[in-house]
């Protein structure tokens, strides 16, 4: 499978995006629709692989929290601080959150070819090296 992540993040707008795209003329390329459909997938069953757990631990350490889905909206759950809606987070955190959720849902795995357009855009420079 191939996965393309555009420069604009999608995780803060997925709640109704796929339905709107299918039913109305909105000014987004189809790649955003494809990504929204993947972000709308439920979490995969079964345990994660060791490789997935390693990447997820690393990314959760960078973000200092975990991605949770509540009523079809994404949040960053930070232990002891609460849950923060994706729209309130920086672009860098939202992009990284997309990667985490795509791993958790099984859409992104070791066999996926990932094209990530300008991953460093709006990313905190301190986050770039650990992500690479």
């Amino acid at each position: 499978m191939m996965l393309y992540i555009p420069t604009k993040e999608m995780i803060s707008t997925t709640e109704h995006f796929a339905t709107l795209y299918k039913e109305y003329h909105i000014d987004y390329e189809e790649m955003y629709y494809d990504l929204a459909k993947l972000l709308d997938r439920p979490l995969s069953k079964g345990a994660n692989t060791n490789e997935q757990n390693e990447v997820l631990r690393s990314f959760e350490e960078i973000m200092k929290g975990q991605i949770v889905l509540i009523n079809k909206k994404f949040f960053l759950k930070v232990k002891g601080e609460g849950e923060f809606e994706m729209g309130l987070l920086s672009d860098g955190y939202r992009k990284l959150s997309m990667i985490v959720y795509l791993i958790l849902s099984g859409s992104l795995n070791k066999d996926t070819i990932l094209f990530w357009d300008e991953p460093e855009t709006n990313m905190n420079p301190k986050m770039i090296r650990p992500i690479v």
Side-chain angles (χ1 to χ4, degrees), residues 9-114:
E9 60 81 23
M10 285 298 298
I11 198 163
S12 64
T13 59
T14 58
E15 186 180 8
H16 301 291
F17 186 88
T19 302
L20 286 171
Y21 190 90
K22 280 192 313 193
E23 297 179 11
Y24 297 94
H25 294 285
I26 57 176
D27 195 22
Y28 280 86
E29 292 106 11
E30 190 171 352
M31 68 184 127
Y32 291 98
Y33 174 62
D34 293 339
L35 183 55
K37 289 189 302 185
L38 291 176
L39 289 168
D40 196 34
R41 291 175 70 181
L43 297 178
S44 60
K45 288 185 176 181
N48 295 325
T49 66
N50 290 335
E51 292 168 324
Q52 288 172 314
N53 285 331
E54 185 179 332
V55 171
L56 292 169
R57 265 192 307 275
S58 174
F59 284 7
E60 288 171 354
E61 185 177 307
I62 293 167
M63 296 186 307
K64 300 187 181 7
Q66 297 178 318
I67 305 308
V68 294
L69 187 60
I70 303 170
N71 297 324
K72 297 195 83 118
K73 287 188 176 185
F74 290 95
F75 292 81
L76 176 64
K77 183 176 182 178
V78 179
K79 191 173 183 176
E81 294 187 33
E83 296 158 349
F84 301 92
E85 193 172 340
M86 281 296 143
L88 300 175
L89 301 177
S90 72
D91 255 8
Y93 276 83
R94 290 185 291 213
K95 287 180 178 183
L96 198 51
S97 297
M98 282 193 306
I99 298 289
V100 168
Y101 192 78
L102 291 168
I103 292 170
L104 290 170
S105 70
S107 298
L108 179 59
N109 59 52
K110 69 178 184 165
D111 297 322
T112 305
I113 298 170
L114 174 64

